[in-house]
Amino acid sequence: MNRRQFVCMAISAALLPAAAVAQGATMVVHKDPYCGCCGAWAKAFEAAGYLVDTRNEEDMDAVKERLQVPSDVWGCHTAVVDGYYLEGHVPLEAAEKLLKERPLVAGLAVAGMPKGSLGMGTDSNASYDVMAVPKDGSKPYVYMEVRPS
Protein backbone atom coordinates (compact mmCIF):
# COMPACT_ATOMS: atom_id res chain seq x y z
CA MET A 1 0.00 0.00 0.00
CA ASN A 2 1.40 3.38 -0.93
CA ARG A 3 1.10 6.58 1.08
CA ARG A 4 -1.78 7.91 -1.02
CA GLN A 5 -3.86 4.75 -0.50
CA PHE A 6 -3.14 4.84 3.22
CA VAL A 7 -4.23 8.48 3.54
CA CYS A 8 -7.44 7.81 1.57
CA MET A 9 -8.26 4.80 3.75
CA ALA A 10 -7.61 6.76 6.95
CA ILE A 11 -9.85 9.63 5.86
CA SER A 12 -12.60 7.21 4.80
CA ALA A 13 -12.47 5.43 8.14
CA ALA A 14 -12.76 8.72 10.02
CA LEU A 15 -15.86 9.64 8.03
CA LEU A 16 -17.73 6.37 8.56
CA PRO A 17 -21.14 6.74 10.20
CA ALA A 18 -21.60 5.61 13.80
CA ALA A 19 -23.52 2.51 12.67
CA ALA A 20 -20.40 1.27 10.94
CA VAL A 21 -18.75 0.85 14.36
CA ALA A 22 -20.50 -2.50 14.62
CA GLN A 23 -19.69 -3.78 11.18
CA GLY A 24 -17.33 -6.67 11.50
CA ALA A 25 -17.71 -6.89 15.29
CA THR A 26 -17.90 -10.49 16.46
CA MET A 27 -20.89 -11.36 18.63
CA VAL A 28 -21.54 -14.63 20.45
CA VAL A 29 -25.25 -15.26 21.01
CA HIS A 30 -26.16 -17.79 23.68
CA LYS A 31 -29.72 -19.06 23.27
CA ASP A 32 -32.10 -21.85 24.11
CA PRO A 33 -32.03 -24.36 21.25
CA TYR A 34 -35.82 -24.26 20.94
CA CYS A 35 -36.32 -20.49 20.85
CA GLY A 36 -37.21 -18.88 17.51
CA CYS A 37 -37.20 -15.24 18.58
CA CYS A 38 -33.55 -15.50 19.59
CA GLY A 39 -32.65 -16.59 16.09
CA ALA A 40 -34.60 -13.69 14.58
CA TRP A 41 -32.75 -11.26 16.88
CA ALA A 42 -29.37 -12.72 15.90
CA LYS A 43 -30.23 -12.56 12.17
CA ALA A 44 -31.03 -8.84 12.51
CA PHE A 45 -27.58 -8.22 13.95
CA GLU A 46 -26.02 -10.34 11.21
CA ALA A 47 -27.84 -8.27 8.58
CA ALA A 48 -26.40 -5.13 10.21
CA GLY A 49 -22.84 -6.37 9.68
CA TYR A 50 -22.03 -8.20 12.90
CA LEU A 51 -20.24 -11.55 12.68
CA VAL A 52 -22.62 -13.70 14.73
CA ASP A 53 -21.68 -17.00 16.37
CA THR A 54 -24.90 -18.57 17.69
CA ARG A 55 -24.53 -21.17 20.43
CA ASN A 56 -27.39 -23.33 21.62
CA GLU A 57 -27.24 -23.70 25.40
CA GLU A 58 -29.09 -26.24 27.51
CA ASP A 59 -28.73 -24.12 30.68
CA MET A 60 -29.21 -20.40 29.98
CA ASP A 61 -29.34 -19.59 33.70
CA ALA A 62 -25.75 -20.80 34.04
CA VAL A 63 -24.66 -18.59 31.13
CA LYS A 64 -26.33 -15.51 32.65
CA GLU A 65 -24.83 -16.26 36.07
CA ARG A 66 -21.35 -16.74 34.58
CA LEU A 67 -21.62 -13.35 32.85
CA GLN A 68 -23.00 -11.82 36.09
CA VAL A 69 -26.21 -10.58 34.52
CA PRO A 70 -28.52 -9.47 37.37
CA SER A 71 -31.56 -11.75 37.51
CA ASP A 72 -34.00 -8.81 37.59
CA VAL A 73 -33.01 -7.87 34.01
CA TRP A 74 -32.86 -11.36 32.53
CA GLY A 75 -34.32 -11.70 29.08
CA CYS A 76 -34.56 -14.40 26.50
CA HIS A 77 -31.00 -14.80 25.20
CA THR A 78 -27.59 -13.40 26.10
CA ALA A 79 -25.04 -12.06 23.63
CA VAL A 80 -21.48 -10.91 24.16
CA VAL A 81 -19.88 -8.32 21.90
CA ASP A 82 -16.65 -6.39 22.37
CA GLY A 83 -16.52 -6.94 26.13
CA TYR A 84 -20.20 -6.12 26.81
CA TYR A 85 -23.23 -8.34 27.20
CA LEU A 86 -26.55 -7.71 25.53
CA GLU A 87 -29.28 -9.36 27.56
CA GLY A 88 -32.58 -10.05 25.84
CA HIS A 89 -34.11 -8.14 22.96
CA VAL A 90 -31.75 -5.15 22.95
CA PRO A 91 -32.40 -3.08 19.81
CA LEU A 92 -29.70 -2.59 17.23
CA GLU A 93 -29.61 1.18 17.84
CA ALA A 94 -28.84 0.68 21.54
CA ALA A 95 -26.02 -1.77 20.78
CA GLU A 96 -24.49 0.60 18.24
CA LYS A 97 -24.72 3.51 20.71
CA LEU A 98 -23.05 1.33 23.36
CA LEU A 99 -20.16 0.38 21.07
CA LYS A 100 -19.69 3.99 19.95
CA GLU A 101 -19.87 5.63 23.39
CA ARG A 102 -18.20 2.79 25.37
CA PRO A 103 -19.67 3.66 28.80
CA LEU A 104 -18.39 1.95 31.93
CA VAL A 105 -21.13 -0.67 32.07
CA ALA A 106 -21.15 -4.44 32.00
CA GLY A 107 -23.86 -4.47 29.36
CA LEU A 108 -27.37 -3.60 28.26
CA ALA A 109 -30.57 -5.46 29.02
CA VAL A 110 -34.20 -5.63 27.94
CA ALA A 111 -35.94 -7.69 30.59
CA GLY A 112 -38.53 -10.23 29.53
CA MET A 113 -39.73 -10.45 25.94
CA PRO A 114 -41.48 -7.17 25.08
CA LYS A 115 -43.93 -7.36 22.19
CA GLY A 116 -42.55 -5.44 19.21
CA SER A 117 -38.93 -5.54 20.36
CA LEU A 118 -36.28 -6.74 17.91
CA GLY A 119 -37.02 -10.40 17.19
CA MET A 120 -40.50 -10.21 18.73
CA GLY A 121 -42.47 -9.10 15.69
CA THR A 122 -43.52 -5.66 14.64
CA ASP A 123 -45.66 -3.42 16.79
CA SER A 124 -45.80 0.31 16.13
CA ASN A 125 -46.93 0.78 19.75
CA ALA A 126 -43.93 -1.03 21.25
CA SER A 127 -42.77 0.63 24.44
CA TYR A 128 -39.95 -0.60 26.68
CA ASP A 129 -36.71 0.51 28.29
CA VAL A 130 -33.17 -0.62 27.54
CA MET A 131 -31.32 -0.77 30.83
CA ALA A 132 -27.59 -0.20 31.34
CA VAL A 133 -26.02 -2.43 33.98
CA PRO A 134 -23.06 -0.74 35.72
CA LYS A 135 -19.87 -2.76 36.23
CA ASP A 136 -19.71 -1.78 39.90
CA GLY A 137 -22.90 -3.67 40.75
CA SER A 138 -24.96 -0.54 41.34
CA LYS A 139 -28.57 -0.32 40.21
CA PRO A 140 -29.30 -0.56 36.46
CA TYR A 141 -30.52 2.65 34.86
CA VAL A 142 -32.43 3.56 31.69
CA TYR A 143 -29.97 3.81 28.81
CA MET A 144 -32.51 4.19 26.02
CA GLU A 145 -36.29 4.43 25.86
CA VAL A 146 -38.14 2.76 23.01
CA ARG A 147 -41.47 4.51 22.49
CA PRO A 148 -44.07 4.62 19.70
CA SER A 149 -43.07 6.98 16.93
Side-chain angles (χ1 to χ4, degrees), residues 22-117:
Q23 291 187 357
T26 299
M27 171 185 285
V28 177
V29 178
H30 302 274
K31 67 178 229 29
D32 183 283
Y34 309 104
C35 186
C37 67
C38 302
W41 184 87
K43 285 182 192 297
F45 273 83
E46 219 167 29
Y50 289 80
L51 303 174
V52 178
D53 174 9
T54 303
R55 298 182 185 174
N56 289 321
E57 305 284 355
E58 293 298 327
D59 186 356
M60 283 301 300
D61 290 357
V63 171
K64 294 169 191 305
E65 289 168 359
R66 178 174 48 83
L67 293 171
Q68 299 179 337
V69 180
S71 61
D72 58 333
V73 297
W74 280 9
C76 192
H77 50 270
T78 307
V80 178
V81 60
D82 208 13
Y84 294 102
Y85 61 73
L86 302 177
E87 177 64 22
H89 293 270
V90 173
L92 184 60
E93 299 81 10
E96 291 174 345
K97 180 180 176 190
L98 173 77
L99 294 175
K100 180 183 177 196
E101 294 177 354
R102 310 225 28 102
L104 294 175
V105 299
L108 300 180
V110 172
M113 298 171 67
K115 182 179 174 187
S117 60

